[in-house]
Amino acid sequence: MKEILTVQELAEYLKMNPRTLRSKARKGEIPSIKLGRQFRFDKEQIERWLSRKTVTGSLNILIVDDDPIIRQLFMQSLEEFGHKITTSANGVEALEFVTRRRFDLIFLDLLMPDIDGAEIFGRIRQIDKQIPVVIITGYPDSEVMKRATVHGPFIVMGKPFTADDILDALSSFIRSVETKT
């Protein structure tokens, strides 16, 4: 069951002045529902909105996937929040990028045509032992996934996924970095 909040309840939750909250709702700056003359807020939608607000910034992110549609989805999802996106359609090119540039995060497809994701991940770890990697796959129980686990910790994002899933993965990464500092 959806939890719907009043202006006052959400203002207390966000520690915000109710007038400011109403103004933001009128301007469309915060997700809201208008019932007659009153604004109401779906708490789940607000949580998603807050999560997206934390993914703004300027991270240098590498996307490695042989599917151009997947690369485009990542670019569209992340560039609007100010992140610098580099894409690669194959493992050789991705490894060249990693040797020449510093990335804050890498999204890596597990099944690639030239070098599989486990091999790419292992080579990335030889270049940079600390860079966070999110493996994107539709085959979480595959042999390639088992081989990837020997190269250290990573996050798994299952296929198919949406733009919201990309932003959720990025938010999780940012929160994990913030808790370490």
Side-chain angles (χ1 to χ4, degrees):
M1 180 172 209
K2 290 187 180 228
E3 186 175 355
I4 304 298
L5 304 174
T6 65
V7 169
Q8 190 61 41
E9 291 168 335
L10 185 59
E12 288 173 19
Y13 179 69
L14 296 178
K15 297 179 181 18
M16 181 184 280
N17 184 308
R19 282 189 197 159
T20 304
L21 186 57
R22 279 188 201 92
S23 175
K24 286 185 173 296
R26 262 191 301 281
K27 294 176 186 174
E29 295 174 4
I30 188 168
S32 63
I33 306 160
K34 192 157 187 187
L35 299 172
R37 297 179 67 196
Q38 304 294 316
F39 285 105
R40 296 293 183 261
F41 306 89
D42 179 338
K43 189 171 183 182
E44 186 177 311
Q45 241 184 350
I46 294 297
E47 292 292 335
R48 240 182 279 125
W49 174 77
L50 285 170
S51 176
R52 284 195 175 139
K53 301 276 292 173
T54 66
V55 300
T56 59
S58 185
L59 297 175
N60 198 11
I61 302 171
L62 175 62
I63 312 302
V64 185
D65 199 302
D66 58 310
D67 185 337
I69 294 170
I70 299 285
R71 292 192 310 271
Q72 186 66 32
L73 177 61
F74 271 96
M75 287 181 69
Q76 289 172 341
S77 301
L78 299 173
E79 282 182 334
E80 73 178 271
F81 291 100
H83 302 295
K84 296 176 188 132
I85 308 302
T86 302
T87 63
S88 175
N90 63 69
V92 173
E93 181 182 52
L95 292 168
E96 287 174 15
F97 285 141
V98 173
T99 58
R100 289 184 285 152
R101 293 190 219 161
R102 186 194 160 285
F103 292 96
D104 298 303
L105 180 63
I106 297 174
F107 285 90
L108 172 63
D109 187 17
L110 193 61
L111 297 181
M112 299 284 288
D114 56 345
I115 308 170
D116 69 47
E119 179 69 21
I120 297 168
F121 185 38
R123 291 185 190 181
I124 288 170
R125 281 289 174 252
Q126 290 171 355
I127 298 164
D128 183 342
K129 294 193 183 324
Q130 302 302 314
I131 190 164
V133 174
V134 176
I135 292 185
I136 49 180
T137 184
Y139 305 96
D141 298 323
S142 68
E143 183 60 36
V144 179
M145 179 63 93
K146 289 176 189 164
R147 286 190 291 114
T149 61
V150 301
H151 301 297
F154 57 88
I155 298 168
V156 177
M157 190 165 89
K159 285 184 178 180
F161 54 84
T162 65
D164 282 340
D165 296 325
I166 293 168
L167 295 173
D168 288 346
L170 186 59
S171 292
S172 295
F173 162 72
I174 291 170
R175 281 192 300 275
S176 73
V177 169
E178 288 172 348
T179 58
K180 290 178 184 177
T181 58

